[in-house]
Amino acid sequence: GAVVSQHPSWVICKSGTSVKIECRSLDFQATTMFWYRQFPKQSLMLMATSNEGSKATYEQGVEKDKFLINHASLTLSTLTVTSAHPEDSSFYICSALGQYGNEKLFFGSGTQLSVL
Amino acid sequence: GENVEQHPSTLSVQEGDSAVIKCTYSDSASNYFPWYKQELGKRPQLIIDIRSNVGEKKDQRIAVTLNKTAKHFSLHITETQPEDSAVYFCAASKRAQKLVFGQGTRLTINP
């Protein structure tokens, strides 16, 4: 199956700093990637849809200036949490959609962000 | 937009018994319904999926049924084992578009 790599797997940062999370599709080209956030014991909530070469589409209530998404190539999307605050602490997971519109989603391993 | 409701939120069954998790969706245009299993701190793993042109799909101990008219689909796990304990999520989408997830079901298999 397709492999999606996500780094880092966990990160601890001070309040006010920025954190970048990378999501790579290793053996396929992903035209579309999705970024989810998951709070403890809750479901996955879609934050934004990232399309290669264009601006990301954010879900309602998600601040685009706080969660910067870049999808510069067919194998890499990045999420930068800017000026992180403790309430941003969460499990962030990326997922990738195959190049030919295959609706199967392949998830990264997730990033546990803790903001002190 | 699409809304997916999942029940129950928690489910506890004896090892060897069957477990059933149900989901309903709101958008009749949705045509892809995957189920994911997520263990604590891990990524969701796709365990089975079904498309709207199929009413039932089975893979060993796991089966999914879909009722398009009623807009609901269910996950069935037979002969449950301790390693089936996890959180299960249903989801729905229109082709190649974003998935909307249900709230999740925490399944516990009691030995």
Side-chain angles (χ1 to χ4, degrees):
Chain A
V3 178
V4 177
S5 174
Q6 185 173 342
H7 295 280
S9 55
W10 59 270
V11 59
I12 301 173
C13 69
K14 292 182 179 180
S15 185
T17 60
S18 295
V19 174
K20 179 186 281 189
I21 302 170
E22 292 189 349
C23 181
R24 294 179 185 273
S25 55
L26 298 185
D27 53 358
F28 68 104
Q29 293 182 323
T31 53
T32 304
M33 290 186 176
F34 302 91
W35 287 94
Y36 290 86
R37 179 166 54 183
Q38 186 177 32
F39 292 109
K41 297 185 179 181
Q42 293 190 23
S43 187
L44 293 90
M45 299 302 296
L46 180 65
M47 299 175 66
T49 302
S50 168
N51 292 298
E52 185 268 336
S54 62
K55 290 183 178 180
T57 302
Y58 290 81
E59 295 299 301
Q60 190 173 9
V62 178
E63 299 176 58
K64 62 179 182 180
D65 294 329
K66 181 170 182 62
F67 299 99
L68 301 179
I69 292 173
N70 184 283
H71 193 157
S73 77
L74 284 171
T75 60
L76 174 64
S77 176
T78 61
L79 168 67
T80 300
V81 183
T82 62
S83 187
H85 291 286
E87 56 265 31
D88 298 324
S89 299
S90 184
F91 192 54
Y92 292 86
I93 312 178
C94 69
S95 63
L97 201 58
Q99 185 175 13
Y100 299 106
N102 183 340
E103 60 267 84
K104 288 186 189 291
L105 268 189
F106 301 97
F107 282 89
S109 53
T111 298
Q112 182 63 54
L113 171 64
S114 296
V115 184
L116 304 178
Chain B
E2 176 65 276
N3 182 50
V4 178
E5 296 288 333
Q6 182 173 347
H7 299 281
S9 57
T10 60
L11 180 61
S12 182
V13 301
Q14 287 298 120
E15 182 178 355
D17 289 350
S18 296
V20 180
I21 303 171
K22 299 181 179 181
C23 288
T24 60
Y25 60 100
S26 61
D27 190 345
S28 56
S30 290
N31 54 14
Y32 176 63
F33 308 93
W35 285 87
Y36 289 86
K37 175 183 180 182
Q38 187 181 30
E39 298 178 2
L40 188 62
K42 301 284 184 64
R43 78 184 81 194
Q45 298 276 8
L46 178 68
I47 56 172
I48 196 167
D49 57 9
I50 191 168
R51 290 174 173 77
S52 59
N53 59 345
V54 176
E56 183 174 357
K57 183 177 178 181
K58 189 174 182 180
D59 183 4
Q60 299 183 337
R61 297 186 298 110
I62 296 173
V64 57
T65 59
L66 171 65
N67 184 326
K68 285 194 299 181
T69 303
K71 288 189 283 188
H72 66 69
F73 56 112
S74 301
L75 176 71
H76 304 252
I77 306 175
T78 59
E79 300 173 27
T80 54
Q81 301 168 3
E83 52 265 37
D84 294 330
S85 295
V87 178
Y88 290 80
F89 292 98
C90 63
S93 76
K94 291 176 253 190
R95 180 170 172 75
Q97 296 186 25
K98 61 187 183 184
L99 278 177
V100 176
F101 285 85
Q103 297 85 349
T105 297
R106 182 172 298 279
L107 176 63
T108 302
I109 308 301
N110 301 308

